[in-house]
Amino acid sequence: MAHTCAICGAEINMLQSQKLADGNYICRKTCQKKGMKKYFSFMHASLDEVNAHIAQVENGTKIFNDLFVPKLKASKKQRPVQFGGDIYVLEDLGLMALAKAEYKHFIFGKYYPQACVFRLGDLVGYSPEKIDKLPDGTSADASKKYIHFVFRNTDGLCDFYYDYNTPKKLSDYFNKLFGIQKTLGNIGNTWKNQINAAKAMAAGVKAATSGAENAKEKAMEAANSLDVAVYGDRTELNRRAAVALQPYM
């Protein structure tokens, strides 16, 4: 049975097509290859989500090659922090990247044809999880540990599973970066943040129900306080990312 690719319009048969969650089909030869099949689940995505991911990869690849690649060749202090082969973090720019490396000739001529770049301030999940299936439908390797990365305010690929065998090293790094204290020795600071967040939330609810003029400001203050208590203060990271990404907006 023939189908038409919902992106490029090519006529495709069953073997050449990828069916999406909303019933649309796209071609495997061209359009599916524009996305990161290893991390993005096409079978569970709608056409809008696929288009958003393809745009994300196109823009992310340019950003990665412009901002990350030059620093890969810089001094050790300037290089991105790397976890495994595909995750790169630039704290000074407030950015994280998922980038796929390829070689033109065996192990020579390394380049990066695909990448997704995320704002570090949007990272809200980086926990190890057990999974049975990878996004491309193949079985997960039972001998590997997978980190579930989750990003808010992100179109396209906003969560993915990444195999990394030392999850504590990774979580400790991000907890420290975000100022999230989870040890018993620092529980007082965490509790203080949560108490302040609860007070701010109560003030926001009271202002909203009483029709106070500053209800919107109080509600925003409450949301920000709760955010900091749970996820750490991302203000400076968000500022750095905004500056770095401005030319690409």
Side-chain angles (χ1 to χ4, degrees):
M1 181 178 178
H3 301 288
T4 300
C5 176
I7 296 177
C8 69
E11 287 194 12
I12 46 180
N13 60 36
M14 185 177 294
L15 295 177
Q16 297 169 325
S17 63
Q18 169 66 61
K19 186 177 181 180
L20 306 181
D22 59 5
N24 281 295
Y25 290 85
I26 63 172
C27 63
R28 295 180 184 271
K29 183 178 180 181
T30 302
C31 295
Q32 189 188 53
K33 288 184 177 180
K34 292 180 179 179
M36 300 184 79
K37 182 183 175 184
K38 180 179 178 181
Y39 298 105
F40 183 82
S41 176
F42 284 87
M43 67 183 71
H44 295 112
S46 67
L47 180 60
D48 287 343
E49 289 168 334
V50 169
N51 281 324
H53 174 51
I54 290 173
Q56 177 189 34
V57 171
E58 290 176 351
N59 197 37
T61 303
K62 177 171 176 55
I63 295 170
F64 185 83
N65 283 290
D66 286 353
L67 302 183
F68 284 75
V69 171
K71 295 202 173 191
L72 288 173
K73 304 170 185 177
S75 63
K76 190 173 181 179
K77 288 185 178 181
Q78 293 179 303
R79 290 176 199 164
V81 176
Q82 193 170 352
F83 295 97
D86 294 355
I87 296 290
Y88 302 82
V89 178
L90 279 177
E91 292 182 32
D92 61 329
L93 299 184
L95 300 176
M96 171 182 150
L98 174 68
K100 175 184 176 183
E102 290 189 2
Y103 297 87
K104 295 178 181 177
H105 306 287
F106 189 44
I107 58 172
F108 302 101
K110 189 176 184 179
Y111 68 106
Y112 300 88
Q114 288 185 320
C116 288
V117 174
F118 308 91
R119 293 176 292 267
L120 279 171
D122 291 335
L123 177 60
V124 294
Y126 40 93
S127 303
E129 285 188 22
K130 290 184 179 180
I131 56 173
D132 297 320
K133 294 283 186 180
L134 295 172
D136 62 4
T138 59
S139 297
D141 188 336
S143 67
K144 292 183 178 180
K145 297 177 182 178
Y146 292 89
I147 304 292
H148 189 192
F149 281 98
V150 181
F151 295 85
R152 59 184 175 181
N153 307 318
T154 303
D155 294 328
L157 180 64
C158 58
D159 74 290
F160 59 91
Y161 291 93
Y162 182 70
D163 60 279
Y164 190 68
N165 283 329
T166 51
K168 187 178 185 305
K169 176 183 175 182
L170 186 146
S171 62
D172 285 350
Y173 169 82
F174 283 114
N175 287 342
K176 182 178 178 182
L177 176 64
F178 298 139
I180 299 174
Q181 300 166 326
K182 293 187 176 181
T183 63
L184 289 176
N186 290 314
I187 196 168
N189 292 330
T190 303
W191 177 248
K192 184 178 179 181
N193 282 340
Q194 292 173 337
I195 289 295
N196 290 337
K199 289 180 178 178
M201 184 63 74
V205 172
K206 183 177 180 180
T209 55
S210 64
E213 292 182 3
N214 63 342
K216 185 176 181 179
E217 289 76 10
K218 286 290 185 182
M220 185 64 71
E221 181 183 338
N224 290 338
S225 296
L226 188 60
D227 212 37
V228 169
V230 176
Y231 298 120
D233 190 351
R234 314 289 179 95
T235 306
E236 178 58 22
L237 289 171
N238 289 335
R239 185 197 67 78
R240 294 176 191 174
V243 172
L245 296 176
Q246 198 279 328
Y248 303 94
M249 302 302 287

